[in-house]
Each structure stands twice: as C-alpha cells, then as structure tokens.
Amino acid sequence: MNGLPTFAALDSYAVLEQERRGASIQVDESYFRGQLKAIAAIDSVELTKRRKIITQSHDLYNNIQIDIDSFNKENIQTASTRFRQILQQMPEAQYLKHSFPETCFVVPEWLRTQGRVEYGARIYFFREDSAPDPDEIIQRNIEAIVDDEQDDFAQYQGRLHGYPDCCIDYFSSYNRQRDAAPEVEAVEPLSDAINDNVLQDASNSSASIEEFFEGIFQLPDIYAFFAREFYPEPDCTQARKHGISIYDVLCDGCPETLIKDFFRINAGWSYQMAHSISSPIEASKPSPSSFGREHLLFHLPFLSVRSLPEYFGGS
C-alpha cells in the first residue's frame, strides 16, 4: 500500500478492511498532473523512479487515439477491447496493480457529457472475494452510454464503491432538468465551515488546509464524506455512520491529523465539483493544491507522506 498515492491508499485501505466493497481512480490529466506537481515540490531523489513511471504513462495516455466508425454497441465493444489492451501496458496501471495486495485492474470508461461521448480510464481496487469481472463493468458502461441510461451505470458504480443504497437512490430519483443539482444539496450542510474567499485565492496554495475549513469537524455531516467522488444524501444518518466507521478504522493505523485531512480534502473536492457542475461552464476538477499544501502532499506515494513530520513526526 505504501506505493499508492496517499489519497488512493486511504481509500483502498477501507476496502481491505471491509468497510467498502471497492474504490477507484479516474485516470486523466488531473491525476497525472497532480502527482508530477507533488513530486516536483518535494524534489526527492527517492521519487525519481516514480516520476519516470508517471511521465511515461502520461505520454502514453495522451497519445491514445480511439476511432469508431459508427456509434453502436458492437463497435464500442471492439474499441474497448483494443483500448484496454493498451491501458494494461501503461506503466502506471502495472505499478498500481503491483502496489495493491489484492485485486486491481484498469478498464476503459465511456462518458457522455454535454451531448458528446468521450473516453477515459478508471483503475479499480477490490478485495479478491468481492471483485467483479472487469468485462462486466465494461459491458454495463457500454450499454448505458449507447442507450443513454447513464443513471443506471452511476447506480451500479455506486454499489461497486460501497456507497449507501439510500444515497444512491436519492441521486437516481433526481430530475436534473427540473431540480437543482443534487451535488449542491449534498454539500450544503458543510457550506458554513468552508472558506470560499480562501478557496478562490489561487495564491493560497501553500497555506494550511485548516485555513480552508474552519471548524468543519464540529459538523457531524463531515463524516459522510468518506470518499472523494461521493455525494451523500443531505443529513443522511447511514452515510455519517458509515463514515465514522471508516474514520475509526483509518485512525487505528494512521495519525488522526492525516485522517482529518483526508476527510477535509474529500469534502472540499466534492464542494468545488458540486458548484462547478451547477455552473454553465464545463466542470473541471480542483487543482492539486486547491486546499493548501496538504492537498498537494496527498498525491505523493503513501511511503513519502509517512516520512513527513507534520503527520508521522519524521519516523
């Protein structure tokens, strides 16, 4: 687990401890850029090999071209098979698979955004006894994208990630053409503890994470944000209980300061994404230091973070 990016190591540790069925990373420009920026900030010789893996993978990923003659299930299935063969050879996919002690695999991911169909990749982490067949995920994704039934695939993914059923059902029942974005409602209980002025100031990338989130752990809803891409149903008791259980398990093996930052970053990520989704401008993910220095550090391998005095006293 020490080789995984810290945010992924904590996410997937909850999987190993049977607190969640699975976890995943969306592989994209933000993923590669975040790790390269964090490695450059630390400038450690020990991270030279890690930088090479990221750089090679970034270059390979940027050069992938998927062409489809006509948009149907058969053609997308053929493209997915070819795409996955390339992704499996990507050094980063092999590195993460080697670093995780149980089941880790990469699959193509098809997305429909603003009327366009786009492709990307996602790396999943499961216990061996609960891992689905990768082909099942790919097939469900293809059916959803061709039939324009993305909510069905979102529900399926939610259950793969071990999210509470009530939160999955809450989002699937939303009429986005009629109602406000459910993501905005999900983060609203935390809004009073999030400093929008600091978030909007790009010069604060070296600030402490506590400047972004003032007294957020005085709000019980913070514990519902136990995963970066999860939006809980507002005031969901089940999500809070699930988050508290994950919090306690993570604190058994890590300093509480680190775990508090993990939950802060999850909440901040969801907060910024929620307000991006609800705007007319295409949503973009928070940059690697959007929530201060700690956010940047979470892109480093967990072993590197273990050497930092702010978390582990330099041990």
Side-chain angles (χ1 to χ4, degrees), residues 16 45 52 59 95 104 106 113 158 166-168 170-171 178 183 239-240 253 261-262 289 310-313:
L16 294 180
V45 174
K52 183 178 180 180
D59 291 344
Y95 171 83
C104 173
V106 61
T113 59
C166 54
C167 296
I168 296 171
Y170 169 75
F171 273 78
R178 185 192 65 206
E183 292 86 355
R240 288 200 301 268
D261 285 351
F262 177 62
S289 54
E310 50 260 71
Y311 290 132
F312 288 85

Side-chain angles (χ1 to χ4, degrees), residues 105-123:
F105 56 76
V106 61
V107 296
E109 186 167 66
W110 299 91
L111 309 167
R112 188 187 290 271
T113 59
Q114 298 185 348
R116 303 192 310 270
V117 173
E118 300 176 350
Y119 56 86
R122 186 172 291 271
I123 295 176

Side-chain angles (χ1 to χ4, degrees), residues 1 42 51 53 55 67 70 73 85 96 101 104 114 147-148 150 170 175 187 242 246 300 302:
M1 298 289 285
I42 297 299
R51 181 190 290 110
I53 290 172
T55 301
D67 297 318
S70 59
K73 291 180 182 178
Q85 289 172 347
L96 294 176
C104 173
Q114 298 185 348
D147 297 336
D148 199 12
Q150 292 188 96
Y170 169 75
N175 184 336
V187 300
H242 197 175
I246 289 174
L300 291 171
F302 187 51

Side-chain angles (χ1 to χ4, degrees), residues 10 247-264 298 302 305-306 308-315:
L10 296 178
Y247 183 92
D248 289 341
V249 164
L250 293 177
C251 283
D252 284 343
C254 299
E256 190 172 18
T257 304
L258 180 72
I259 307 311
K260 282 183 178 291
D261 285 351
F262 177 62
F263 276 75
R264 289 185 181 107
F298 265 64
F302 187 51
V305 171
R306 289 176 64 94
L308 299 175
E310 50 260 71
Y311 290 132
F312 288 85
S315 60

